[in-house]
Amino acid sequence: MTKSGNQLMLGGTRFRFGGGNEYWLGLDENVGGVNPADPPTVDLPTYFRIRDGLTTARVMGSRVVRAHTLGVDLGSPNSLEPVLGQFNNDAFASIDYAVAESGRLGLKLLVPLTDNWDYYHGGKYTFLRWLGVSTTDNGAAFFTDPTVRVAFKQYISAVLTHVNPYTGKRYVDDPTVMAWELGNELNGMTPEWVNDISSYISQLAPKQLVAAGGQSGTGTSVLQSPDVDIVDVHYYPPTAAKIATDAAAAKAAGKVYIAGEYSSAAASHTLLDAVAANQDVDGALFWSLFPHGDHYGFAQHSDGFTVHYPGDTPAMRTAVSAITRFAGLMGTCTGCVKAVGDAPLLTSVVKTEGVNLLTWRGTAGAWSYRVERATGRSWSVIGTGIADSDTPWLDSNTPTSAAQYRVVALNASGAALAVSAPLGVGSTEDAVTDPLEDWFVASQHSANLQRIPTDQGVQVSPNEGKQATLTYVRAGITSVAVTVASPRGRADIRLQVSADGATKWKTVKPRTIDAGRDAVTLSLSEMSDVGGVRVEWPSGSRAAVTRVSNTSAAGSLASAIPGPFAVTAPPAAATGVSTATSISWSASAHAAYYSVLVSKNADLSSPVVQAASLRTTSYRPSVPLDASTTYYVQVQAVNADGTTTATGPPASFTTRSPVAGVLVDDFDGYASDAALQTAYVRNVGGDPIASTLSGVADGFGSSMLLTYALGSNGYAGVTHAIAQNWSSSGGLRMWLQPDGTARNVTVQFVTSTGYWEKSISPTGTDAQFITIPFNQFKPPSWASQGATLDLTSVSQISFYLGGSTGSGTLQVDSITAYPAP
């Protein structure tokens, strides 16, 4: 990659690109456990996540990926530089693989080297704290203190000159790295600092480019620096006009211009088609793309800008469509390998009250999945059009006999992309497959086991042929199958069993099955009184295990039909119910799942809502109900033994009269605190704040209680994504109950023309309705000024608390965009 004048060139041709941010590729804060709902942890991302995320980027047409933690990775035990001056070569494992995999796929990388913000992966504040330098004034000393400058250059040198074992190249010699970025959103850079650091990088990496930019705008220190090639500007939200202004300024200064981050929530064909048509724009990267989880579903992240392919919601699917189209308009990847994701991997078939519950690891580029089942020699389709977000998935017609399952990944046209290996389970068994990317399935493993990535997973083997074990402990193990990569057709490992999974291990002779080219499977079946299975590598063995599956006695078989239960919300014969209400019911003993039917007719004919295979005790219809209408509800609990209907006749309720204006939220449709917190996402850059459901505020249902603790950040807030048109409205009206502290309450919303906010300071503790005309909302000081308020497309609303330190509460209800006079 080179720069010619103010344009990027590749192989003598102008290079323009669309792409995405995958900040987590080197150090991941979203690892969690087997269950995507488990709390996140910071660790190296698995090889699968890296490969899946990069492959997904290519499927979406990306030519460039920007990734913070390929270059910003310090201050924690898993970091490149855990403490000042000490470097951890093991932490390069994920970075090395990500760089090599990007090169294989034909992707270029934009890599920041520090961060303006105090996030988990480290940045400028890490250096300041290490050296005992003041962190006040937004860390301004990072740009002026000479000892910090020396430490940062030492870090830069260690990263850039590292030799990647996959490629045999130093990073500075790898054409996969398009540019090194001075840092992410570095506000307050001095001209001298920019010139010095960009010159230092240019000397270390003369074959690569240097990028720089602050949080917003172009900045003279960047525009005037002789060694800065690329100006990187960020947009929340993006507008074609703002992008055009910044791009023109960069081009006039002889620089390449890119939008290094833009809000995926604002992605639309109208916006991105206009950006692509602007020849001053060399590239734009959305924030941000996440991969499939290692066991099922997707890696989750709750910043409001998460993108999964092809999209979890209609809004996300619209954004993905616009982003993919934009990438094609900006330029296609010539000479790239075809982006093909891993085949789906069935990771478990586990019974719940006798009903088989399936999980599978998804395929990059899959639009949906088809599930097939065989109870004999032939396969039958039992489910299709299934999304990754639908897993775990219930086989609601689980057979009483043994069955095998397989999953087929489908593209947008319904054609098969890849098929999983089958996973079989008996009529009273559970089955589990270990992806081997992490240690969440195995009960114990030797520390010297290593993972070697392949194009379809990993191979696990001991370092240097040393003795090692991998142990699985489950009650009542009935079979195990271990697949081994074996070029010579033999597997020099042993299988051992134990009654309790801890003592008296006994080596047993398995049956050997040909598993395809250069692989064999060692199988044990029809076992009894086994509580543990161990794979043992004897000293000198170099066998590589690629898959371990086992079956065991089912943990949840039906012993009776589901027990009695009742619909609990809305209350029987309730009136004034929100049109966005959730339907809730008490738990039924022995229920495997529930189904819900909603109709305007007492006999439940012509239902307007039908939902099945629900595994929670609440359901919120995806489309609002009609106002001033009586509805009837039937809920049924189901397991392998039968079905039980909620007690009494169908529950009924009547929705409230139409709301004057546009109802933004009345908080009556959230079934739990967890559901509310998923909708109202905390700004993690601020102080602690939690949203919980509270009691009746405006006369019916629930309200939102914000409990906050203001500290060093000076603010705390939550953000809710919406898609509404307020153009016929005159302002916002909402019910508030303050806590008597008179702290600032900032109401903020986002439109296609930017951020708009208004701060108020409600006094006392009395509940009150607050009315704020739209002409009182102005862009915040840090956002672009002079824009015209356009209310036709409102994408989010936020509430921020600010002021003196201390804790408190704010209760909110009935937010409405009231009609214009």
Side-chain angles (χ1 to χ4, degrees):
M1 185 75 66
T2 59
K3 173 177 172 287
S4 177
N6 57 15
Q7 295 182 346
L8 290 174
M9 305 294 290
L10 181 64
T13 303
R14 187 178 183 195
F15 183 84
R16 300 179 77 213
F17 63 87
N21 282 266
E22 296 188 79
Y23 72 86
W24 47 269
L25 284 170
L27 188 64
D28 195 350
E29 65 173 328
N30 309 283
V31 175
V34 175
N35 187 336
D38 287 348
T41 57
V42 176
D43 205 344
L44 302 184
T46 63
Y47 293 116
F48 168 77
R49 289 197 187 200
I50 294 170
R51 185 171 60 254
D52 186 82
L54 292 171
T55 303
T56 302
R58 280 291 304 118
V59 168
M60 294 177 66
S62 297
R63 302 179 79 186
V64 175
V65 166
R66 181 171 177 265
H68 290 51
T69 56
L70 297 186
V72 190
D73 199 342
L74 66 164
S76 67
N78 291 319
S79 294
L80 298 179
E81 189 175 7
V83 296
L84 182 62
Q86 296 182 17
F87 290 88
N88 174 19
N89 284 329
D90 291 342
F92 276 106
S94 56
I95 300 173
D96 289 334
Y97 182 68
V99 173
E101 189 68 6
S102 296
R104 183 187 71 82
L105 289 165
L107 290 163
K108 299 296 181 183
L109 294 171
L110 177 60
V111 184
L113 289 166
T114 193
D115 201 302
N116 188 68
W117 313 109
D118 205 3
Y119 288 150
Y120 77 95
H121 48 59
K124 70 179 187 182
Y125 288 101
T126 310
F127 288 106
L128 295 174
R129 285 192 289 264
W130 275 344
L131 292 162
V133 176
S134 172
T135 58
T136 60
D137 195 21
N138 296 317
F142 181 77
F143 305 111
T144 58
D145 188 280
T147 60
V148 173
R149 184 86 56 91
V150 169
F152 184 41
K153 285 184 175 179
Q154 180 187 33
Y155 175 79
I156 292 172
S157 177
V159 174
L160 270 62
T161 60
H162 172 75
V163 177
N164 188 337
Y166 292 103
T167 64
K169 298 175 182 177
R170 299 183 305 166
Y171 287 165
V172 295
D173 299 320
D174 194 331
T176 300
V177 179
M178 178 180 80
W180 300 99
E181 188 176 345
L182 302 189
N184 175 57
E185 298 185 345
L186 290 179
N187 298 330
M189 293 181 289
T190 65
E192 186 274 332
W193 185 90
V194 172
N195 292 341
D196 184 30
I197 298 300
S198 60
S199 174
Y200 182 71
I201 294 172
S202 294
Q203 293 171 30
L204 283 173
K207 300 175 185 177
Q208 296 160 332
L209 303 176
V210 177
Q215 185 176 8
S216 62
T218 51
T220 57
S221 62
V222 170
L223 291 177
Q224 296 176 0
S225 178
D227 287 303
V228 171
D229 304 298
I230 301 170
V231 175
D232 172 1
V233 188
H234 297 177
Y235 301 92
Y236 293 90
T239 67
K242 286 192 291 185
I243 288 173
T245 298
D246 291 336
K251 292 298 182 182
K255 308 296 185 185
V256 170
Y257 164 82
I258 66 169
E261 294 179 21
Y262 69 87
S263 163
S264 62
S268 68
H269 292 294
T270 300
L271 167 70
L272 294 179
D273 284 1
V275 173
N278 185 344
Q279 291 298 309
D280 285 344
V281 177
D282 294 280
L285 301 148
F286 67 90
W287 185 274
S288 61
L289 182 62
F290 289 86
H292 286 96
D294 294 299
H295 299 263
Y296 64 91
F298 285 106
Q300 299 295 329
H301 188 71
S302 58
D303 67 351
F305 306 108
T306 294
V307 171
H308 297 135
Y309 181 89
D312 304 336
T313 63
M316 191 184 293
R317 290 200 173 211
T318 297
V320 166
S321 174
I323 289 166
T324 303
R325 172 181 164 83
F326 172 73
L329 293 173
M330 293 295 283
T332 57
C333 189
T334 57
C336 291
V337 300
K338 184 178 180 181
V340 179
D342 292 20
L345 175 67
L346 264 165
T347 52
S348 70
V349 180
V350 176
K351 287 182 172 57
T352 174
E353 294 296 332
V355 178
N356 284 338
L357 185 69
L358 282 63
T359 62
W360 60 86
R361 190 179 70 182
T363 296
W367 194 262
S368 64
Y369 300 87
R370 182 174 73 232
V371 178
E372 299 177 351
R373 183 183 66 209
T375 54
R377 294 185 176 182
S378 60
W379 291 93
S380 299
V381 176
I382 60 171
T384 193
I386 303 165
D388 283 290
S389 53
D390 293 331
T391 53
W393 184 83
L394 278 164
D395 178 4
S396 56
N397 292 305
T398 296
T400 56
S401 61
Q404 293 218 41
Y405 293 90
R406 67 184 183 188
V407 175
V408 183
L410 308 173
N411 65 15
S413 301
L417 294 172
V419 184
S420 74
L423 183 61
V425 63
S427 60
T428 59
E429 291 178 323
D430 293 338
V432 176
T433 297
D434 188 351
L436 297 172
E437 294 278 354
D438 50 41
W439 302 119
F440 291 129
V441 176
S443 305
Q444 188 177 1
H445 67 281
S446 297
N448 63 336
L449 284 177
Q450 62 178 341
R451 297 185 185 92
I452 306 299
T454 72
D455 60 356
Q456 286 289 318
V458 294
Q459 296 181 349
V460 174
S461 60
N463 285 311
E464 301 175 354
K466 296 180 179 178
Q467 190 273 342
T469 58
L470 180 61
T471 305
Y472 298 87
V473 177
R474 296 174 67 85
I477 295 176
T478 53
S479 71
V480 64
V482 180
T483 302
V484 183
S486 178
R488 299 182 303 276
R490 52 188 289 265
D492 50 346
I493 63 171
R494 291 192 286 260
L495 297 187
Q496 300 176 322
V497 297
S498 164
D500 60 6
T503 62
K504 298 181 180 178
W505 289 97
K506 180 177 67 173
T507 299
V508 291
K509 184 177 181 180
R511 183 164 59 104
T512 301
I513 305 169
D514 183 3
R517 190 182 69 178
D518 297 335
V520 296
T521 296
L522 306 181
S523 174
L524 299 173
S525 59
E526 298 181 0
M527 296 190 296
S528 61
D529 299 322
V530 173
V533 172
R534 189 162 71 182
V535 180
E536 183 183 58
W537 287 263
S539 180
S541 171
R542 295 189 179 275
V545 172
T546 62
R547 177 176 172 175
V548 180
S549 298
N550 64 64
T551 61
S552 59
S556 178
L557 294 174
S559 57
I561 64 170
F565 69 106
V567 175
T568 57
T575 59
V577 175
S578 169
T579 57
T581 189
S582 287
I583 298 164
S584 301
W585 52 91
S586 59
S588 167
H590 308 297
Y593 63 91
Y594 301 90
S595 61
V596 173
L597 185 150
V598 180
S599 173
K600 295 180 181 180
N601 303 310
D603 63 359
L604 301 174
S605 60
S606 303
V608 295
V609 174
Q610 287 181 289
S613 300
L614 302 174
R615 297 172 52 238
T616 61
T617 55
S618 66
Y619 175 72
R620 185 179 187 181
S622 58
V623 177
L625 302 174
D626 293 339
S628 302
T629 303
T630 298
Y631 287 94
Y632 299 86
V633 178
Q634 176 182 276
V635 180
Q636 293 185 318
V638 185
N639 69 13
D641 277 359
T643 299
T644 299
T645 302
T647 56
S652 66
F653 62 89
T654 302
T655 53
R656 65 177 56 171
S657 301
V659 173
V662 179
L663 177 64
V664 179
D665 208 337
D666 59 11
F667 305 99
D668 296 342
Y670 302 103
S672 64
D673 290 344
L676 178 66
Q677 290 159 11
T678 298
Y680 283 79
V681 179
R682 177 196 164 198
N683 184 323
V684 294
D687 293 317
I689 186 169
S691 55
T692 55
L693 293 171
S694 190
V696 173
D698 63 346
F700 183 84
S702 301
S703 58
M704 177 173 69
L705 182 68
L706 296 172
T707 304
Y708 60 89
L710 296 180
S712 58
N713 292 309
Y715 72 93
V718 295
T719 295
H720 177 45
I722 58 178
Q724 294 186 334
N725 184 342
W726 296 350
S727 59
S728 299
S729 304
L732 289 178
R733 183 174 185 266
M734 65 199 73
W735 184 98
L736 298 179
Q737 184 162 20
D739 59 6
T741 61
R743 287 192 174 90
N744 283 341
V745 177
T746 298
V747 181
Q748 180 190 93
F749 57 83
V750 177
T751 74
S752 60
T753 55
Y755 283 77
W756 302 84
E757 66 181 32
K758 169 66 177 176
S759 294
I760 58 176
S761 298
T763 59
T765 58
D766 291 338
Q768 53 197 281
F769 274 97
I770 301 290
T771 299
I772 312 174
F774 283 131
N775 60 17
Q776 294 185 13
F777 285 85
K778 307 296 180 186
S781 59
W782 46 263
S784 298
Q785 305 296 307
T788 300
L789 178 58
D790 179 1
L791 294 165
T792 57
S793 180
V794 185
S795 58
Q796 71 180 41
I797 186 169
S798 304
F799 291 89
Y800 285 95
L801 284 300
S804 58
T805 59
S807 59
T809 61
L810 177 71
Q811 194 172 359
V812 186
D813 204 354
S814 295
I815 311 167
T816 305
Y818 63 80

